[in-house]
Amino acid sequence: MKTIGVLTSGGDSPGMNAAIRAVVRSGIYNGCKIVGVKQGYHGLIKGYMEEMNLSSVADIIHRGGTMLQTARSEEFLTEEGRQKAMYAINIFGIDGLVVIGGDGSFKGAQKLNELGIPTIGLPGTIDNDLRYTEYTIGFDTAVNTVLDAIGRIRDTSASHGRANIIEVMGRHCGDIALYAGLAGGAESIIVPEVEFKIDQVCSKLIKGRNRGKLHSIILLAEGVGGAMEISKEIEEKTGIETRVTILGHIQRGGSPTAFDRILASKMGARAVELLLEGKKNRALGINGLEIIDVDFVDVFKQTDGFHQKTYDLANILSI
Ligand code: ATP
């Protein structure tokens, strides 16, 4: 293992830069040459690659986004596209590849393994939708961004005695809504994994108002949909003025939290170690405080892992 490639793929997440930095710096420390691939698998096919040095990754640990840029590549989904990527990999003499991205990116990395290039995956996605790991890189930052928004919305809601629905990211996985809701003391949390009953949401709002609450926050994961309809129904059933805020892409940006920087740094360095140990086809995760590595095959098997206990706790604490 002499030359290691690194790329970011799929949606960007805060902490990807810290992960790139860790791959580059620990790779160089271990005597490897590091090649940065721009624009994910698209850049791999096109040969958008250049050698990175210690200075290439200076001053990026605190920046959101990804200095290597990211992309989604239709062409890479085809056998022909992946053969083109292998051609570029061979031209640049890459012996192993670190892929930072979500489950789609991991599927691509697994396919590259089958074509003979060892790959290691780092979970870079704000959604926390990879169930083999307790945390993905960027999730903690996204939760903190939502928390900040909850605080601001609460100030204005309290002044007007309103309820607020805050729609956050998460198409299939409600973790951002769940964790930001628990940390922010939301009255109700609505996620795709649990069927919700509008009457329960309304009854909490009415009980809250009756004991003098000036505001109420409802966290809604985007995958559930229908924020405007839910808001209308709440107003009709409770008489409480209800506003909707859709947070959107601000959840993806911003400086990564200490947790995400540390997680990304540990995983980036571990990815290099694994490649140097001759390992391949593995994804990095965290369990407790320990960095773990799991075969891609097992990563894709674990689809169910909703944190029911956390959801129940949030409900108990918001009675
Ligand atoms: P996010 O969680 O942010 O959506 P992701 O990595 O899941 O990130 P995708 O768009 O699903 O994002 O995948 C990124 C890229 O990985 C795709 O554009 C495609 O090039 C490649 N990819 C996805 N699925 C596969 C697959 N089954 N086989 C080969 N390559 C794939």
Side-chain angles (χ1 to χ4, degrees), residues 8-13 16 40-42 45 70-78 82 99-112 124-130 171 252 300:
T8 49
S9 168
D12 62 312
S13 70
M16 280 184 163
Y41 293 131
H42 174 69
I45 289 170
T70 182
R72 301 192 199 265
S73 168
E74 289 285 323
E75 196 178 0
F76 191 79
L77 291 170
T78 66
R82 290 193 293 274
V99 171
I100 308 165
D103 64 337
S105 305
F106 283 6
K107 283 181 185 142
Q110 189 184 31
K111 296 245 165 80
L112 286 176
T125 168
I126 62 165
D127 291 342
N128 214 36
D129 57 353
L130 292 161
R171 276 166 292 169
R252 274 200 198 279
F300 303 131

Coordinates of all heavy atoms in Angstrom, one line a residue, residues 8-13 16 40-42 45 70-78 82 99-112 124-130 171 252 300, ligand 1:
T8 N -15.0 12.4 -1.4 CA -16.3 12.6 -0.7 C -17.4 12.4 -1.7 O -17.2 12.9 -2.8 CB -16.3 13.9 0.0 OG1 -15.9 15.0 -0.9 CG2 -15.4 14.0 1.2
S9 N -18.5 11.8 -1.3 CA -19.5 11.4 -2.3 C -20.9 11.6 -1.6 O -21.1 11.5 -0.4 CB -19.2 10.0 -2.7 OG -20.3 9.5 -3.4
G10 N -21.9 11.8 -2.5 CA -23.3 11.9 -2.0 C -23.5 13.3 -1.4 O -22.8 14.3 -1.7
G11 N -24.4 13.4 -0.4 CA -24.6 14.7 0.2 C -23.4 15.1 1.1 O -22.8 14.2 1.8
D12 N -23.1 16.4 1.2 CA -22.0 16.8 2.0 C -22.4 16.8 3.5 O -23.6 16.9 3.8 CB -21.4 18.1 1.6 CG -22.4 19.3 1.8 OD1 -23.5 19.1 1.3 OD2 -22.1 20.3 2.4
S13 N -21.5 16.8 4.4 CA -21.8 16.9 5.8 C -20.7 17.5 6.6 O -19.5 17.3 6.2 CB -22.1 15.5 6.4 OG -20.9 14.7 6.5
M16 N -16.6 16.4 7.1 CA -15.9 15.7 6.0 C -14.5 16.3 5.8 O -13.6 15.5 5.5 CB -16.7 15.9 4.7 CG -17.9 15.0 4.5 SD -18.7 15.1 2.9 CE -19.6 13.6 2.9
G40 N -16.3 13.3 -6.0 CA -16.7 12.0 -5.8 C -16.4 11.0 -7.0 O -15.4 11.1 -7.6
Y41 N -17.4 10.1 -7.2 CA -17.2 9.1 -8.3 C -17.2 9.7 -9.7 O -16.6 9.2 -10.6 CB -18.3 8.0 -8.2 CG -18.2 7.2 -6.9 CD1 -19.4 7.0 -6.1 CD2 -17.0 6.6 -6.5 CE1 -19.3 6.2 -5.0 CE2 -16.9 5.8 -5.4 CZ -18.1 5.6 -4.6 OH -18.0 4.9 -3.5
H42 N -17.8 10.9 -9.8 CA -17.8 11.6 -11.1 C -16.3 11.9 -11.4 O -15.8 11.7 -12.5 CB -18.7 12.8 -11.0 CG -18.6 13.7 -12.2 ND1 -19.1 13.3 -13.4 CD2 -18.0 15.0 -12.4 CE1 -18.8 14.3 -14.3 NE2 -18.2 15.3 -13.7
I45 N -14.2 9.0 -12.3 CA -14.3 8.6 -13.7 C -13.5 9.5 -14.6 O -12.9 9.1 -15.6 CB -15.8 8.5 -14.1 CG1 -16.5 7.4 -13.4 CG2 -16.0 8.5 -15.6 CD1 -18.0 7.4 -13.6
T70 N -18.3 17.3 -3.8 CA -18.9 16.1 -3.8 C -19.9 16.1 -5.0 O -20.1 17.1 -5.6 CB -19.7 15.8 -2.5 OG1 -20.3 14.5 -2.6 CG2 -20.7 16.8 -2.2
A71 N -20.4 14.9 -5.4 CA -21.3 14.8 -6.6 C -22.1 13.5 -6.5 O -21.8 12.6 -5.7 CB -20.4 14.8 -7.9
R72 N -23.1 13.5 -7.3 CA -23.8 12.2 -7.5 C -23.5 11.8 -9.0 O -23.6 12.7 -9.8 CB -25.3 12.3 -7.2 CG -25.5 12.8 -5.8 CD -26.9 12.7 -5.4 NE -27.2 13.5 -4.2 CZ -27.2 13.1 -2.9 NH1 -26.9 11.8 -2.6 NH2 -27.5 13.9 -1.9
S73 N -23.1 10.6 -9.2 CA -22.8 10.2 -10.6 C -23.6 9.0 -11.1 O -23.6 7.9 -10.6 CB -21.3 9.7 -10.6 OG -21.0 9.1 -11.8
E74 N -24.5 9.4 -12.1 CA -25.3 8.3 -12.8 C -24.4 7.3 -13.5 O -24.6 6.1 -13.5 CB -26.2 9.0 -13.8 CG -27.3 9.8 -13.2 CD -28.4 9.0 -12.6 OE1 -28.7 8.0 -13.3 OE2 -29.0 9.4 -11.6
E75 N -23.3 7.9 -14.1 CA -22.5 7.0 -14.9 C -21.8 5.9 -14.0 O -21.6 4.8 -14.5 CB -21.4 7.9 -15.5 CG -20.7 7.2 -16.7 CD -19.6 8.0 -17.4 OE1 -19.4 9.2 -17.0 OE2 -19.0 7.5 -18.3
F76 N -21.5 6.3 -12.8 CA -20.8 5.3 -11.9 C -21.8 4.1 -11.6 O -21.3 3.0 -11.1 CB -20.3 6.0 -10.6 CG -19.4 5.1 -9.8 CD1 -18.1 5.0 -10.1 CD2 -19.9 4.4 -8.7 CE1 -17.2 4.2 -9.4 CE2 -19.1 3.6 -7.9 CZ -17.7 3.5 -8.3
L77 N -23.1 4.3 -11.7 CA -24.0 3.2 -11.5 C -23.9 2.1 -12.5 O -24.4 1.0 -12.3 CB -25.4 3.8 -11.4 CG -25.8 4.7 -10.2 CD1 -27.1 5.3 -10.4 CD2 -25.8 3.9 -8.9
T78 N -23.3 2.4 -13.6 CA -23.1 1.4 -14.7 C -21.8 0.7 -14.6 O -20.8 1.3 -14.2 CB -23.2 2.1 -16.1 OG1 -22.1 3.0 -16.3 CG2 -24.5 2.9 -16.2
R82 N -17.9 2.3 -14.0 CA -17.0 1.8 -13.0 C -15.7 1.3 -13.6 O -14.6 1.5 -13.0 CB -17.6 0.7 -12.1 CG -18.8 1.3 -11.2 CD -19.2 0.3 -10.2 NE -19.8 -0.8 -10.7 CZ -21.1 -0.9 -11.0 NH1 -21.9 0.1 -10.8 NH2 -21.7 -2.0 -11.5
V99 N -13.5 6.2 1.0 CA -14.7 6.9 0.5 C -15.5 7.4 1.7 O -15.9 6.7 2.6 CB -15.6 5.8 -0.3 CG1 -17.0 6.4 -0.6 CG2 -14.9 5.4 -1.5
I100 N -15.7 8.7 1.6 CA -16.5 9.4 2.7 C -17.9 9.8 2.2 O -18.0 10.6 1.3 CB -15.7 10.7 3.2 CG1 -14.3 10.3 3.6 CG2 -16.4 11.3 4.4 CD1 -13.3 11.5 3.7
G101 N -18.9 9.1 2.7 CA -20.2 9.4 2.2 C -21.3 8.6 2.9 O -21.1 8.0 3.9
G102 N -22.5 8.5 2.2 CA -23.6 7.7 2.8 C -23.7 6.3 2.2 O -22.7 5.8 1.6
D103 N -24.9 5.7 2.4 CA -25.0 4.3 2.0 C -24.8 4.1 0.5 O -24.3 3.1 0.1 CB -26.3 3.7 2.5 CG -27.5 4.3 2.0 OD1 -27.4 5.5 1.5 OD2 -28.6 3.7 1.9
G104 N -25.3 5.0 -0.3 CA -25.1 4.9 -1.7 C -23.6 4.9 -2.1 O -23.2 4.0 -2.9
S105 N -22.9 5.8 -1.5 CA -21.4 5.8 -1.7 C -20.8 4.5 -1.3 O -19.8 4.1 -1.9 CB -20.8 7.0 -0.9 OG -21.5 8.2 -1.3
F106 N -21.3 3.9 -0.2 CA -20.7 2.7 0.3 C -21.0 1.5 -0.7 O -20.1 0.7 -0.9 CB -21.3 2.3 1.7 CG -20.7 3.0 2.8 CD1 -19.8 4.1 2.7 CD2 -21.1 2.7 4.1 CE1 -19.3 4.8 3.8 CE2 -20.6 3.4 5.2 CZ -19.7 4.4 5.0
K107 N -22.2 1.6 -1.3 CA -22.5 0.5 -2.3 C -21.5 0.7 -3.5 O -21.0 -0.3 -4.0 CB -23.9 0.7 -2.8 CG -24.9 0.1 -1.8 CD -26.3 0.2 -2.2 CE -27.2 -0.3 -1.0 NZ -28.4 0.5 -0.9
G108 N -21.2 1.9 -3.9 CA -20.2 2.1 -4.9 C -18.8 1.6 -4.5 O -18.1 1.0 -5.3
A109 N -18.5 1.9 -3.2 CA -17.2 1.4 -2.7 C -17.1 -0.1 -2.7 O -16.0 -0.7 -3.1 CB -17.0 2.0 -1.3
Q110 N -18.2 -0.8 -2.4 CA -18.2 -2.2 -2.4 C -18.0 -2.8 -3.8 O -17.2 -3.7 -4.0 CB -19.6 -2.7 -1.9 CG -19.6 -4.2 -1.6 CD -21.0 -4.6 -1.2 OE1 -22.0 -4.1 -1.6 NE2 -21.1 -5.6 -0.4
K111 N -18.6 -2.1 -4.8 CA -18.4 -2.5 -6.2 C -17.0 -2.4 -6.6 O -16.4 -3.2 -7.4 CB -19.3 -1.7 -7.1 CG -20.8 -1.9 -6.8 CD -21.5 -2.6 -8.0 CE -22.9 -3.2 -7.6 NZ -23.9 -2.2 -7.5
L112 N -16.3 -1.3 -6.2 CA -14.9 -1.1 -6.5 C -14.0 -2.2 -5.9 O -13.1 -2.7 -6.5 CB -14.4 0.3 -6.1 CG -14.9 1.5 -6.9 CD1 -14.4 2.8 -6.3 CD2 -14.4 1.4 -8.3
G124 N -20.2 9.6 6.2 CA -20.4 11.1 6.2 C -21.8 11.4 5.7 O -22.0 11.5 4.5
T125 N -22.7 11.7 6.6 CA -24.0 12.1 6.3 C -24.7 12.6 7.6 O -24.5 12.1 8.7 CB -24.9 10.9 5.8 OG1 -26.2 11.2 5.7 CG2 -24.7 9.6 6.6
I126 N -25.5 13.7 7.4 CA -26.1 14.4 8.6 C -27.2 13.5 9.1 O -27.6 13.7 10.2 CB -26.5 15.8 8.3 CG1 -27.6 15.9 7.2 CG2 -25.4 16.7 8.0 CD1 -28.3 17.2 7.1
D127 N -27.8 12.6 8.3 CA -29.0 12.0 8.6 C -28.9 10.9 9.7 O -29.9 10.5 10.3 CB -29.6 11.3 7.4 CG -30.1 12.3 6.4 OD1 -30.4 13.4 6.7 OD2 -30.3 11.9 5.2
N128 N -27.7 10.4 9.9 CA -27.5 9.3 10.9 C -28.3 8.1 10.5 O -28.8 7.3 11.4 CB -27.9 9.7 12.3 CG -27.0 9.1 13.4 OD1 -25.8 8.9 13.2 ND2 -27.6 8.7 14.5
D129 N -28.4 7.8 9.2 CA -29.3 6.7 8.8 C -28.5 5.4 8.5 O -29.1 4.5 7.9 CB -30.1 7.1 7.5 CG -29.1 7.6 6.4 OD1 -27.9 7.7 6.6 OD2 -29.6 7.9 5.3
L130 N -27.3 5.3 8.9 CA -26.5 4.1 8.8 C -26.6 3.4 10.2 O -26.0 3.9 11.1 CB -25.1 4.4 8.3 CG -25.0 4.9 6.9 CD1 -23.7 5.6 6.7 CD2 -25.2 3.8 5.9
R171 N -35.4 11.9 5.5 CA -36.4 11.3 4.6 C -37.0 10.0 5.2 O -38.1 9.8 5.2 CB -35.9 11.1 3.2 CG -36.0 12.4 2.4 CD -35.3 12.3 1.1 NE -33.8 12.3 1.4 CZ -32.9 12.0 0.5 NH1 -33.2 11.7 -0.7 NH2 -31.6 12.1 0.8
R252 N -27.1 21.4 6.7 CA -26.0 20.8 6.2 C -24.7 21.5 6.4 O -23.6 21.0 6.4 CB -26.1 20.6 4.7 CG -26.9 19.4 4.3 CD -26.6 19.1 2.8 NE -27.5 18.2 2.2 CZ -27.5 16.9 2.3 NH1 -26.6 16.3 3.1 NH2 -28.4 16.1 1.8
F300 N -25.1 -3.2 5.0 CA -26.3 -3.2 4.3 C -27.4 -4.1 4.9 O -28.6 -3.9 4.6 CB -26.1 -3.5 2.8 CG -25.1 -2.6 2.2 CD1 -24.0 -3.1 1.5 CD2 -25.1 -1.2 2.4 CE1 -23.0 -2.3 0.9 CE2 -24.2 -0.4 1.8 CZ -23.1 -0.9 1.1
Ligands
ATP1 P1 -26.5 10.7 1.3 O1 -26.8 9.9 2.5 O2 -26.1 12.1 1.7 O3 -27.7 10.7 0.3 P2 -25.2 8.8 -0.3 O4 -23.8 8.4 -0.4 O5 -26.2 7.8 0.1 O6 -25.2 10.1 0.6 P3 -26.2 8.6 -3.0 O7 -26.6 9.7 -4.0 O8 -27.1 7.5 -2.7 O9 -25.7 9.4 -1.7 O10 -24.9 7.9 -3.6 C1 -23.7 8.7 -4.0 C2 -23.2 8.1 -5.3 O11 -22.8 6.7 -5.1 C3 -24.2 7.9 -6.5 O12 -24.3 9.1 -7.2 C4 -23.6 6.8 -7.3 O13 -22.6 7.3 -8.1 C5 -22.9 5.9 -6.2 N1 -23.8 4.8 -5.9 C6 -25.0 4.8 -5.2 N2 -25.6 3.6 -5.2 C7 -24.8 2.8 -5.9 C8 -24.8 1.4 -6.3 N3 -25.9 0.6 -5.9 N4 -23.8 0.9 -7.0 C9 -22.8 1.7 -7.4 N5 -22.7 3.0 -7.1 C10 -23.7 3.5 -6.4

